[in-house]
Amino acid sequence: MKTLIFFNNKGGVGKTTLVYHVGHMLAELGKRVVLFDLDPQMNLTTMLLPDQRLLELYDTGQERMTIMRSIRPVIRGMGDFEPASLESITDNLSLIPGDLDLSGFEDLLSDSWTKCLNREELAFRRVSVFYRILLEATQRVQADYCLIDIGPNFGAINRATLIAADNVMIPMAADLFSLQGLKNVGPTLTTWRDEWTERRIRNPDATLVLPEATMTPSGYVVMQHSIWDSRPVKAYQRWADQIPGTYERNVIAQPSAEQHTLADDPNCLAILKHYRSLMPMAMEARKPVFLLKPADGAIGAHYQAVKEVYRNFETLCGRIIAFP
């Protein structure tokens, strides 16, 4: 089982939409997938579950069957985690629902990160709780992949989540702020990996299963802005040309003597167009863009675009499946 995270500390680059579509495509290709919503905004949960199910889960005075139910005993220091409730989306696709209240765990996680240096067992249980929850859930359904959606920040929740990742991919837009986010991500992953290595050896409970903080940088995905007459606008091209070198220098620390473009950069996993008119159609049909049918309104040029989206995500997922 591999744990995959798409992460950039620049928001608004289509991260949740990317997780949603990659999860569905991996399932379409026969892989068993668990999606884990650890973004307190819980947009992934909202995209995946119908309104009636959302009401059943969240509009209740009873304990919600979300990630908060799983971690509450660890937060209180009164036991270990509860196995996660899994929502079935398709035969091969399940969801661990998110929760707005998750943001309240941020300060406690930050404090626990420090206390791990003091060999405090409860601190290790708290910092590793997301990893242990996903491990139990994926083993329960014999999943091949766990895809985690997280927020665009360097907070304690994301740190505790990213140390559980096998592969980290970076969604990008070709703009100044996405490039700045790219420059931030690489050094931060390195720092967190080193800090967790220092803490991990201080774990007082040899039976406690802890993440290894592999966090292998595995490439980036460019979410294109509008294309006019099949040519990128000038501003787009200006920033797009800087992405390959910025990734090499700041994320993998392996500058190449050869100057790459997006089209020939081996670190570029995909270049995905902005399918403006298809996304509302997909949200209405409650399915990924690449599974839209004529009955959903995808006719004529729209249907041709749907087939292109399918090919693009099939290629992207083929590259993900090929990760070592």
Side-chain angles (χ1 to χ4, degrees):
M1 192 277 297
K2 281 190 174 290
T3 303
L4 311 175
I5 296 182
F6 290 92
F7 177 63
N8 192 333
N9 76 308
K10 165 67 174 71
V13 293
K15 170 185 55 64
T16 301
T17 300
L18 192 58
V19 172
Y20 175 90
H21 281 81
V22 168
H24 274 90
M25 178 54 76
L26 286 171
E28 178 83 358
L29 296 175
K31 304 299 182 182
R32 297 190 68 84
V33 181
V34 171
L35 298 176
F36 196 173
D37 191 352
L38 284 175
D39 183 346
Q41 296 184 47
M42 49 181 290
N43 290 325
L44 182 64
T45 298
T46 304
M47 291 176 71
L48 284 162
L49 298 181
D51 291 344
Q52 183 57 42
R53 183 56 184 152
L54 289 171
L55 281 171
E56 292 169 356
L57 274 177
Y58 297 100
D59 190 20
T60 174
Q62 301 175 355
E63 190 173 64
R64 298 191 292 270
M65 303 294 285
T66 68
I67 182 57
M68 286 305 299
R69 171 184 168 273
S70 296
I71 67 174
R72 190 164 284 114
V74 180
I75 291 176
R76 293 173 176 170
M78 300 174 62
D80 207 3
F81 71 90
E82 293 285 342
S85 175
L86 286 167
E87 295 286 322
S88 178
I89 307 303
T90 69
D91 288 344
N92 286 341
L93 188 65
S94 303
L95 167 72
I96 301 176
D99 200 303
L100 288 168
D101 290 348
L102 185 62
S103 57
F105 192 29
E106 193 87 45
D107 289 345
L108 189 57
L109 268 179
S110 181
D111 183 58
S112 296
W113 184 261
T114 300
K115 289 181 176 179
C116 284
L117 292 171
N118 299 329
R119 304 179 186 272
E120 295 187 22
E121 181 182 336
L122 181 56
F124 278 95
R125 290 191 177 277
R126 285 169 173 163
V127 171
S128 66
V129 69
F130 297 140
Y131 171 72
R132 293 182 295 114
I133 287 170
L134 74 87
L135 202 61
E136 187 281 329
T138 53
Q139 289 174 347
R140 194 192 325 158
V141 298
Q142 298 181 312
D144 301 296
Y145 292 94
C146 179
L147 272 65
I148 309 179
D149 192 30
I150 57 178
N153 61 71
F154 289 132
I157 289 174
N158 284 1
R159 180 173 56 195
T161 306
L162 278 157
I163 62 172
D166 295 308
N167 301 87
V168 179
M169 293 148 284
I170 303 176
M172 296 280 303
D175 60 41
L176 169 63
F177 301 108
S178 286
L179 275 171
Q180 186 60 54
L182 198 58
K183 294 175 182 177
N184 295 339
V185 169
T188 300
L189 293 181
T190 299
T191 297
W192 286 351
R193 186 185 298 110
D194 292 345
E195 290 180 352
W196 181 242
T197 299
E198 180 184 5
R199 285 158 172 75
R200 197 171 186 268
I201 61 176
R202 298 169 186 256
N203 171 32
D205 182 359
T207 66
L208 186 63
V209 180
L210 298 177
E212 296 183 2
T214 306
M215 295 190 288
T216 302
S218 299
Y220 59 88
V221 177
V222 178
M223 316 294 278
Q224 279 186 312
H225 285 191
S226 301
I227 303 298
W228 295 22
D229 298 328
S230 300
R231 292 172 297 175
V233 295
K234 188 175 181 179
Y236 172 91
Q237 193 63 53
R238 173 188 176 188
W239 302 116
D241 289 343
Q242 297 184 45
I243 293 175
T246 303
Y247 184 87
E248 290 173 352
R249 290 188 300 273
N250 295 279
V251 180
I252 59 176
Q254 296 176 0
S256 172
E258 181 181 356
Q259 186 171 358
H260 292 289
T261 66
L262 289 182
D264 65 14
D265 185 7
N267 296 307
C268 183
L269 299 172
I271 303 173
L272 303 175
K273 291 182 181 178
H274 186 285
Y275 298 101
R276 296 184 299 273
S277 56
L278 291 176
M279 281 306 302
M281 196 181 300
M283 293 299 99
E284 177 68 24
R286 305 203 66 83
K287 60 175 64 173
V289 166
F290 53 72
L291 292 183
L292 287 171
K293 305 294 183 185
D296 300 314
I299 56 178
H302 277 150
Y303 189 63
Q304 295 305 311
V306 165
K307 292 195 289 186
E308 181 182 359
V309 178
Y310 191 101
R311 290 191 298 269
N312 288 342
F313 275 96
E314 184 178 35
T315 299
L316 171 57
C317 289
R319 291 174 177 167
I320 289 172
I321 291 169
F323 287 165

